Amino acid sequence: MKEKDSGKEKMGEKKIYITPIKEGTAIDHLAPGAALKILEVLDLKEFPVTAAMNVGSKKMGKKDLIFIEGKKLSGKETEKIALIGKGGTLNIISNASIVKKVQLNYPEEVSGIIRCINPKCISNAEGIPAKFSIKSEPLKATCFYCETRMNENEIINSIK
Ligand SMILES: [Zn+2]
């Protein structure tokens, strides 16, 4: 997709136009269902958000996309969405043009963004930031402290 067309998507015969944003973040090429999960884990109360779900995509069949006006994602926020939106494209928009494009991929390690599902884990008992190593295909996280393994659903439900 060319930068010029990033706000337009075809859905069947109809075209959907999404208000382009001047400053902020656009996350494109998300698998269907990923947009809702991402909106759940980001704190976006103060930002105008436009999301499109199950939109027709030449490349993917169907996809989700999100525009967040005025929002710059922190490193931790980017890690969170990378766990959910692998394969998606993160676009940083400034002055109405894309200044940075990043392909979302699983981080090798995360710290302080997901909770360990083992209630007895020291990270839960003592409020230490839980640390995990991440393996892909399929997504798995292994706790650094108690070695509990978590699958994709458990990981996404444990993002805080
Ligand atoms: Zn643990």
Side-chain angles (χ1 to χ4, degrees), residues 24-41:
T25 301
I27 314 164
D28 196 5
H29 303 117
L30 291 166
L36 265 184
K37 288 178 194 162
I38 288 174
L39 295 176
E40 268 175 37
V41 302

Side-chain angles (χ1 to χ4, degrees), residues 7-9 11-12 18 28 33 53 57 62 69 73 75 84 87 92 95 100 114 116 125 129 158:
K8 299 175 191 171
E9 287 303 320
M11 193 173 84
I18 291 167
D28 196 5
M53 295 171 213
S57 158
K62 277 182 177 179
E69 179 105 53
L73 296 173
I84 300 168
I92 316 290
N95 228 340
K100 198 175 168 195
I114 48 182
C116 184
S158 302

Side-chain angles (χ1 to χ4, degrees), residues 20-126:
I21 56 175
K22 262 192 114 175
E23 304 287 332
T25 301
I27 314 164
D28 196 5
H29 303 117
L30 291 166
L36 265 184
K37 288 178 194 162
I38 288 174
L39 295 176
E40 268 175 37
V41 302
L42 295 178
D43 184 14
L44 298 171
K45 282 179 214 99
E46 290 167 23
F47 300 93
V49 177
T50 308
M53 295 171 213
N54 303 312
V55 183
S57 158
K58 257 187 204 156
K59 206 167 91 181
M60 303 173 63
K62 277 182 177 179
K63 68 170 185 179
D64 286 0
L65 63 156
I66 305 173
F67 291 86
I68 312 164
E69 179 105 53
K71 173 80 177 169
K72 268 198 182 130
L73 296 173
S74 69
K76 291 243 182 283
E77 286 172 322
T78 306
E79 282 183 356
K80 284 184 193 179
I81 65 162
L83 285 173
I84 300 168
K86 186 184 185 239
T89 316
L90 177 66
N91 301 286
I92 316 290
I93 297 166
S94 183
N95 228 340
S97 54
I98 297 170
V99 291
K100 198 175 168 195
K101 220 178 175 103
V102 181
Q103 185 90 18
L104 293 173
N105 215 332
Y106 295 141
E108 282 178 15
E109 234 183 66
V110 295
S111 175
I113 63 166
I114 48 182
R115 261 186 310 263
C116 184
I117 49 166
N118 171 11
K120 290 183 179 147
C121 179
I122 189 168
S123 68
N124 288 318
E126 302 194 2

